[in-house]
Amino acid sequence: MNWELLTVAVMTGFANWAFRALPVIARADRIAAGGWLERFLSATGPAAIGTLFIASILPALVPEVVKLLPLAMGTMAVLAIWFTRRSVVLATLVGALVHGLTVWLML
Amino acid sequence: MTSPRSAFLPGLSASLPIIMGYFPIAFSFGVAATRAGFTPLEAVALSLIIYAGASQFLALALLSSGAPVLVSAFTLIAMNLRHVLYGPALMREAGREAGTRHAWAWAWGLTDEVFGQALGALARGQRFSEPYMFGLGLGAYVAWVLGTVVGAFAGGGALDQWPALSAGLGFMLPALFLSLLLSILSRRQLPVIAVAALATVAGTLAISSTSGILLGMVAGAITGLVRK
C-alpha cells in the first residue's frame, strides 16, 4: 500500500464525512430557522438538483445534431414517464433504456 | 420515508437508479486507477475511504504526478465543500422533529445523488426516517465500492464490447437528476433553478466543471434570498 495515497485518502475522507455529517448532527438548519439562512437553505436543494442536472448533460452537448439524438430521446422518455406515471425510479430507468436503445439503433 | 423501522428496504429500493448509475462510473474509476499504476487494493481503498467520484479521479492525477500530500489533500477537500449545504437543506425539509441519532453513520452516504433522491422523496410527501437514509445510502455506497472492485480487477475493455449498454448506463445519472428536478419543480422554484442552471454553464465554460457546480448551487441559493 502506498502510504502517501493512504494519507491523502484518509484526510479527504475525513473531511468528506465532516462536511456531510457534522451539519446534520449540529442541526444547522435549526440554528438558521427564521432568518435569511433558512431561505438560503430552502433554495439550496432545488439549486443543487438543477445544477447537477445541467453539469451532468453539459459534456454530452456537442454541435452535431445526430450525436444529440440519444440525449434527446432519453430526455423525452424521462419527461413522458414522469408526466404519466410520476415515478422517479421508473422515469430514470426508462430514460436510460431509451438512450441506450437509440445508441444501439444508430450503431 | 414512512414508518421508520420498515423504511430501510424502501430506501434501498429507492437507491436502484443510483446503483445503476454509480456502478459503471466506479467501474471506470477502477480501470483508470489500475491504468495509472495503482494496485487494485489501492483503487478500492480510495473508493472506500474518499467516496466522492470527481475527487477520486482527480486524486489519481495528483498522486500519479507526484503532487505533495498536503496540496493533494486540500485540493480534493475543496472540491467537496458543497456537501456542507446538503445536510442542513435536507433536515430543514425533514422538519424539527426528525431524528439525527445515527446521522454520524448515514450522513456519510450523503452524496449529490443520495441528497437529491432523499430531497425528492420529502418533496413528494414522504416522512423522513433514518432507516430510509441508511437503505438509500448503503445501496449507493456498496455499488460504488463494488464497481471499483470489478473495474480494478477486470481492467479496461469489458464495457467497450457493449457500447449501447455503456451509453445507457452513462445516461442513468442525468436521467435521475432530470426526474428529481421534475419531482420538485414548482413555479416558486423556477427562478432558483434557472439562475443555478445559467451560473453552472457560465462557471463551467469560464473556469471548470467543479467551479461551475459550486457557483450554480450558491447562485441559485442566493436567488432564494431575494424572492418573496
Side-chain angles (χ1 to χ4, degrees), chain A residues 2 16-17 20 30 36, chain B residues 42 50-51 96 104 108 225:
Chain A
N2 176 337
N16 282 347
W17 175 82
R20 293 170 186 169
R30 284 182 186 160
W36 64 269
Chain B
E42 288 168 343
I50 295 182
Y51 187 34
R96 295 183 70 85
W104 61 271
W108 163 246
L225 287 179

Side-chain angles (χ1 to χ4, degrees), chain B residues 134-158:
Chain B
F134 266 118
L136 185 62
L138 189 65
Y141 187 45
V142 169
W144 185 256
V145 174
L146 270 184
T148 308
V149 171
V150 176
F153 283 98

Side-chain angles (χ1 to χ4, degrees), chain A residues 1-61 70-83 86-107, chain B residues 13-14 16-17 20 38 41-42 45-46 49-52 55 63 67 69-70 72-74 76-77 80-89 91-93 95-100 103-113 115-117 119 124 163-164 167-168 171-184 188-189 192-193 196-197 200-201 204 212-213 216-218 220-222 224-225 227:
Chain A
M1 179 66 81
N2 176 337
W3 290 104
E4 283 193 356
L5 173 139
L6 199 61
T7 307
V8 170
V10 168
M11 287 176 73
T12 311
F14 177 76
N16 282 347
W17 175 82
F19 289 162
R20 293 170 186 169
L22 293 184
V24 178
I25 294 167
R27 286 304 305 251
D29 59 301
R30 284 182 186 160
I31 299 164
W36 64 269
L37 195 52
E38 186 179 31
R39 292 204 305 281
F40 182 86
L41 289 176
S42 75
T44 297
I49 294 172
T51 294
L52 293 168
F53 170 63
I54 296 296
S56 69
I57 60 159
L58 270 183
L61 295 178
L71 177 67
M73 295 297 288
T75 302
M76 282 192 287
V78 171
L79 292 171
I81 297 295
W82 169 256
F83 285 113
R86 301 270 163 181
S87 163
V88 168
V89 173
L90 199 62
T92 304
L93 296 179
V94 173
L97 180 70
V98 170
H99 184 280
L101 278 175
T102 311
V103 170
W104 182 65
L105 290 170
M106 289 170 63
L107 286 174
Chain B
S13 69
L16 183 64
M20 296 184 72
F38 297 98
L41 186 65
E42 288 168 343
L46 285 173
I49 301 170
I50 295 182
Y51 187 34
S55 297
L63 291 164
V69 168
L70 281 180
S72 301
F74 285 116
L76 301 177
I77 289 168
N80 294 312
L81 199 57
R82 68 183 182 279
H83 288 176
V84 168
L85 296 172
Y86 289 172
M91 297 316 293
R92 185 193 171 277
E93 297 304 317
R96 295 183 70 85
E97 74 287 354
T100 54
W104 61 271
W106 63 256
W108 163 246
L110 212 50
T111 59
D112 297 329
E113 296 76 15
F115 164 70
Q117 186 74 298
L119 198 72
R124 293 190 297 278
F171 189 67
M172 196 69 74
L173 291 182
L176 175 63
F177 288 132
L178 177 57
S179 306
L180 290 170
L181 193 59
L182 292 167
S183 76
I184 61 155
R188 182 176 152 75
Q189 304 291 10
V192 169
I193 293 167
T200 306
V201 174
T204 302
I213 290 173
M217 286 184 191
V218 173
I222 288 172
L225 287 179
R227 72 182 177 189

